[in-house]
Amino acid sequence: YIDIGGKAPGYMPKKECGLGVITNFKERFPIGTQMEVLVIKEQNADGMVTVSARALILRKSWDKVSKISENGQLVDVLANGFNRGGLTCDVEGLRGFIPRSQLEDGANYQSLVNKTLKVAFLEVNPESKKLVLSEKKATLLQKFEKLKIGQLIEGKVLAVKPYGFFIDLGGASGLLHQSSVTKGNIRDLREVFEEGEFVKALVTEIDKEKGRIGLDTALLENSPGELLIEKEKVMIEASERAQKAQALFEGKD
């Protein structure tokens, strides 16, 4: 029973006293112990509410994990089990799941049990209690660390889509959206770049949470549509042109 300053004390069931198994209540909770709890059920007929230390710990854990995910930070986790779909692990007291498809070695995933993996967050959903992690995304984000907003990069066109180009940046891919290709008018994206062609572009977005890199070639133009007419010249002079454009990105890292 917990004195919460009301007419009746709060009642904390055994399973709500914390994470894990508590074997000796008297040692763990001597009378007079101060603790934070969360009200999980409203007053019953006797005016008593049900409280939980466990629920509060888990709420704080979800808040902490959400912030880590938003910041694109990586975490080290110990794989403590497996099922047909992948590995299970513990993250801040929460049960996390790493799908086989998100492991660097998904074929031999059972051998990774009891090993520490560096992972990133794919899905953090406190409502559905879904915490999905990815080793592949962590590898990708580590490559992001080498990139800066305004940096000039060179990569090969992986794919041409109706909305832009995917550029291979050495293990990570960046999106050169059609709106960022040129300030001129494009009839067909394939008239600009083709699959397999090497392209120089400026990094304009690094979204660690979504694992996304945004690119821009329009900023390398001296006049609207120049890339469509003198693409080779724009690419050859890309380094000098990039220096002029980089002033736009100061303070945006």
Side-chain angles (χ1 to χ4, degrees):
Y1 292 97
I2 313 287
D3 179 7
I4 56 173
K7 291 180 181 179
Y11 171 65
M12 186 160 66
K14 183 177 180 179
K15 66 177 183 178
E16 298 296 338
C17 290
L19 301 178
V21 179
I22 299 169
T23 53
N24 193 318
F25 268 60
K26 286 188 177 180
E27 283 185 12
R28 180 74 178 270
F29 302 109
I31 291 174
T33 300
Q34 296 284 327
M35 59 190 303
E36 283 188 312
V37 294
L38 196 67
V39 175
I40 58 172
K41 278 188 185 176
E42 294 181 2
Q43 292 180 354
N44 59 17
D46 299 322
M48 189 181 295
V49 297
T50 303
V51 298
S52 171
R54 179 178 180 273
L56 185 63
I57 294 168
L58 292 177
R59 176 188 279 188
K60 289 180 176 179
S61 292
W62 280 111
D63 288 345
K64 186 173 182 180
V65 163
S66 296
K67 286 177 183 175
I68 294 171
S69 174
E70 287 169 10
N71 293 333
Q73 290 176 253
L74 309 182
V75 292
D76 291 318
V77 298
L78 179 69
N80 54 20
F82 70 90
N83 56 36
R84 289 177 62 186
L87 298 173
T88 58
C89 60
D90 182 86
V91 186
E92 298 291 336
L94 304 172
R95 185 178 184 274
F97 179 64
I98 312 170
R100 287 178 64 177
S101 61
Q102 296 299 324
L103 291 164
E104 295 290 351
D105 186 10
N108 301 306
Y109 74 107
Q110 296 176 14
S111 65
L112 298 172
V113 174
N114 295 323
K115 292 188 177 178
T116 300
L117 305 174
K118 189 172 288 292
V119 295
F121 295 94
L122 272 187
E123 182 178 356
V124 178
N125 192 326
E127 285 74 31
S128 61
K129 295 184 172 62
K130 281 188 76 174
L131 183 57
V132 185
L133 307 153
S134 170
E135 188 182 26
K136 285 185 176 179
K137 185 179 176 182
T139 302
L140 181 67
L141 290 180
Q142 285 175 308
K143 295 181 186 297
F144 279 28
E145 297 300 325
K146 300 175 184 177
L147 297 174
K148 291 183 178 179
I149 298 291
Q151 178 180 343
L152 181 70
I153 56 88
E154 182 175 18
K156 186 166 68 172
V157 177
L158 283 174
V160 182
K161 301 292 183 181
Y163 49 84
F165 304 93
F166 280 102
I167 313 293
D168 179 18
L169 306 178
S173 66
L175 174 62
L176 175 57
H177 192 268
Q178 61 178 358
S179 61
S180 301
V181 175
T182 175
K183 297 184 182 75
N185 296 317
I186 305 174
R187 289 178 299 177
D188 185 349
L189 285 173
R190 291 185 184 274
E191 292 180 0
V192 190
F193 301 117
E194 296 179 348
E195 288 180 13
E197 187 174 351
F198 281 88
V199 175
K200 291 178 181 177
L202 289 164
V203 176
T204 54
E205 180 189 15
I206 301 173
D207 189 329
K208 292 182 179 179
E209 187 182 5
K210 295 179 180 175
R212 187 169 62 197
I213 302 168
L215 303 173
D216 190 300
T217 50
L219 290 168
L220 298 175
E221 293 182 316
N222 287 333
S223 58
E226 184 184 11
L227 190 72
L228 305 174
I229 304 165
E230 297 186 90
K231 178 175 67 177
E232 191 174 339
K233 181 184 178 185
V234 174
M235 292 292 114
I236 290 172
E237 298 176 0
S239 296
E240 296 79 16
R241 292 167 181 247
Q243 288 176 7
K244 296 177 185 177
Q246 279 157 358
L248 300 170
F249 301 102
E250 288 179 8
K252 291 188 178 181
D253 247 352

